[in-house]
């Protein structure tokens, strides 16, 4: 298993805890990235949202791509999986900037391609927001342009959304960045199986993850591509006793009055079938992170991780709070134990 962590670009991951002791600023980000590399984390995922989806839209949120460039310069081995939303980036200009960051990092850049879900954010920034299947059509075309510029000396393209004319991208990336993407619709899975290298999923129990991996492996084989790798988001709580871990779980899911980070709750609610009270508790943590149940003693957590490995999972993308302290604990008791 490879272990990655979400960079806390929103100042935390708990919607119901206002201050998690990890301010959204460069000093915290830099120190966390350097320390994470030293204690065994393979990768950081840097999310891209201009509005803060965790603490409330008016709270600080770090820009993903300038942060990625800075982290690239202060780390040496850590893979930088940076989220990118095609409707926020003109592909030819993006290809140029991303190639430069890859060069700064020595070839450690990868992309988490996100076919944008937040219509209100796009509206605020004056950007196009397509209907669901059109978003994946745009993403497919966007990827064709970006990869074309990375692979050829001059690249011309004319499609529904984008056009280039003998465009040049130089210098090119050290090597082609790995393309990660996630999505559960038919349009998403078809696009990912045909154009990406890895499939990333929100958190779910292993009995839900295993068939997703099997399905994407079959789709990839049908598309004629190389075998994919598979990652999943999860929130981790490791304690010396199961009772301690459950007390911490109760603390972070205790939602009395819905805080600012719940502004998108109704939109999220429409896409899930859990009972409302369970939904409110689950939404306290980002990206369905509680569903994998990485909560318990080091031995219990390692057993659950082994089950995911047996199902074909290659990468865990972990959220914790407070991040520095909990990542130290997880590294000592799980990764390096």
């Amino acid at each position: 298993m490879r272990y990655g962590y979400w960079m806390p670009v929103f100042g935390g991951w708990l919607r119901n805890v206002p201050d998690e002791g990890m301010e959204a600023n460069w000093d915290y980000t830099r120190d966390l990235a350097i320390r994470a590399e030293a204690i065994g984390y393979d990768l950081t995922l840097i999310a891209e949202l201009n509005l803060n989806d965790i603490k409330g839209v008016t709270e600080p949120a770090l820009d993903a791509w300038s942060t990625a460039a800075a982290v690239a310069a202060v780390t040496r081995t850590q893979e930088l999986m940076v989220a990118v939303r095609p409707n926020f980036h003109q592909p030819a200009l993006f290809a140029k900037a991303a190639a430069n960051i890859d060069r700064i990092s020595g070839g450690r850049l990868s992309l988490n391609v996100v076919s944008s879900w937040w219509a209100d954010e796009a509206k605020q920034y004056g950007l196009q927001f397509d209907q669901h299947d059109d978003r994946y059509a745009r993403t497919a075309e966007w990827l064709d342009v970006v990869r074309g510029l990375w692979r050829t000396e001059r690249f011309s393209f004319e499609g529904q959304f984008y056009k280039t004319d003998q465009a040049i991208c130089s210098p090119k990336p050290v090597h082609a960045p790995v393309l990660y993407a996630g999505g559960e619709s038919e349009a998403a899975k078809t696009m990912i199986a045909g154009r990406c290298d890895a499939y990333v999923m929100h958190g779910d129990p292993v009995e839900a993850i295993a068939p997703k991996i099997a399905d994407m492996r079959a789709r990839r084989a049908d598309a004629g591509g190389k075998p994919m790798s598979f990652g999943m988001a999860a929130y981790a709580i490791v304690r010396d006793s199961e009772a301690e871990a459950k007390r911490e779980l109760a603390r972070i899911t205790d939602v009395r009055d819905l805080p600012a980070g719940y502004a998108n709750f109704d939109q999220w609610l429409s896409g899930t079938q859990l009972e409302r009270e369970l939904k409110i508790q689950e939404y306290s943590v980002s990206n369905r992170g509680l569903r994998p149940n990485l909560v318990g003693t080091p031995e219990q957590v390692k057993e659950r991780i082994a089950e995911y490995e047996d199902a074909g999972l290659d990468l865990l993308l972990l959220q914790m709070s407070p991040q520095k302290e909990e990542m130290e604990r997880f590294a000592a008791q799980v990764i390096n134990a």
Side-chain angles (χ1 to χ4, degrees):
M1 183 69 71
R2 299 177 68 215
Y3 292 95
Y5 68 98
W6 291 65
M7 189 68 73
V9 296
F10 306 123
W13 301 110
L14 303 177
R15 290 185 168 96
N16 62 327
V17 178
D19 183 3
E20 299 176 60
M22 45 176 163
E23 189 176 349
N25 63 33
W26 167 240
D27 288 345
Y28 190 94
T29 298
R30 176 197 59 222
D31 294 348
L32 184 67
I34 293 170
R35 182 59 183 162
E37 193 169 72
I39 60 177
Y41 290 90
D42 303 290
L43 175 152
T44 183
L45 169 55
I46 306 176
E48 181 184 54
L49 285 176
N50 296 299
L51 303 178
N52 193 321
D53 182 43
I54 304 299
K55 300 301 182 185
V57 295
T58 62
E59 295 303 310
L62 299 183
D63 170 70
W65 283 91
S66 54
T67 298
V71 171
V74 299
T75 54
R76 294 293 176 266
T77 63
Q78 197 170 136
E79 181 182 342
L80 307 175
M81 184 205 292
V82 193
V84 57
R85 295 173 297 164
N87 62 320
F88 277 74
H89 298 270
Q90 199 278 344
L93 298 177
F94 172 84
K96 175 75 173 178
N100 197 51
I101 295 174
D102 186 67
R103 289 270 172 177
I104 292 169
S105 73
R108 291 181 286 121
L109 180 68
S110 59
L111 307 185
N112 178 26
V113 184
V114 181
S115 296
S116 205
W117 60 271
W118 200 350
D120 288 346
E121 184 199 26
K123 181 180 178 181
Q124 284 190 29
Y125 283 82
L127 296 169
Q128 175 69 30
F129 189 82
D130 304 307
Q131 295 303 307
H132 184 275
D133 286 5
D134 286 343
R135 295 204 297 273
Y136 288 98
R138 177 185 293 276
T139 296
E141 200 170 290
W142 187 92
L143 284 171
D144 288 346
V145 174
V146 170
R147 292 189 303 180
L149 280 158
W150 285 342
R151 292 172 176 173
T152 60
E153 292 305 311
R154 287 182 175 270
F155 183 70
S156 295
F157 182 89
E158 186 164 358
Q160 178 184 354
F161 302 99
Y162 301 110
K163 179 179 180 180
T164 65
D165 183 11
Q166 295 292 301
I168 298 170
C169 178
S170 181
K172 297 189 182 302
V174 175
H175 51 71
V178 175
L179 301 179
Y180 298 82
E184 299 181 352
S185 70
E186 188 65 26
K189 290 184 283 190
T190 298
M191 187 279 294
I192 294 165
R195 285 178 168 82
C196 297
D197 306 300
Y199 186 56
V200 289
M201 297 161 279
H202 287 325
D204 262 321
V206 69
E207 57 267 24
I209 292 294
K212 290 181 181 181
I213 290 175
D215 174 60
M216 288 303 292
R217 280 177 171 163
R219 289 171 182 267
R220 182 66 160 186
D222 290 343
K226 296 179 181 178
M228 306 184 82
S229 59
F230 298 91
M232 181 188 70
Y235 188 94
I237 300 173
V238 178
R239 294 292 185 272
D240 293 335
S241 72
E242 186 176 5
E244 288 178 90
K246 287 183 176 179
R247 282 196 294 272
E248 173 64 5
L249 177 63
R251 181 187 75 86
I252 69 170
T253 57
D254 181 18
V255 182
R256 305 292 175 88
D257 299 313
L258 296 187
Y262 275 69
N264 291 315
F265 177 63
D266 287 337
Q267 181 177 339
W268 177 83
L269 189 67
S270 65
T272 181
Q273 300 298 316
L274 292 174
E275 293 299 324
R276 181 176 175 81
E277 282 305 309
L278 292 177
K279 291 171 186 173
I280 290 174
Q281 291 178 351
E282 183 177 56
Y283 198 67
S284 64
V285 169
S286 173
N287 301 94
R288 300 202 308 242
L290 295 176
R291 292 190 188 183
N293 194 29
L294 298 187
V295 178
T297 66
E299 293 74 21
Q300 289 173 323
V301 171
K302 284 190 281 188
E303 286 176 8
R304 289 173 193 140
I305 291 172
E307 292 173 357
Y308 282 102
E309 282 189 301
D310 290 343
L313 197 72
D314 308 294
L315 170 66
L316 278 172
L317 299 164
L318 297 170
Q319 297 173 354
M320 305 175 200
S321 178
Q323 194 113 348
K324 281 182 183 177
E325 293 81 354
E326 293 299 318
M327 282 176 59
E328 291 275 1
R329 186 198 304 265
F330 190 93
Q333 296 186 327
V334 178
I335 297 176
N336 301 314

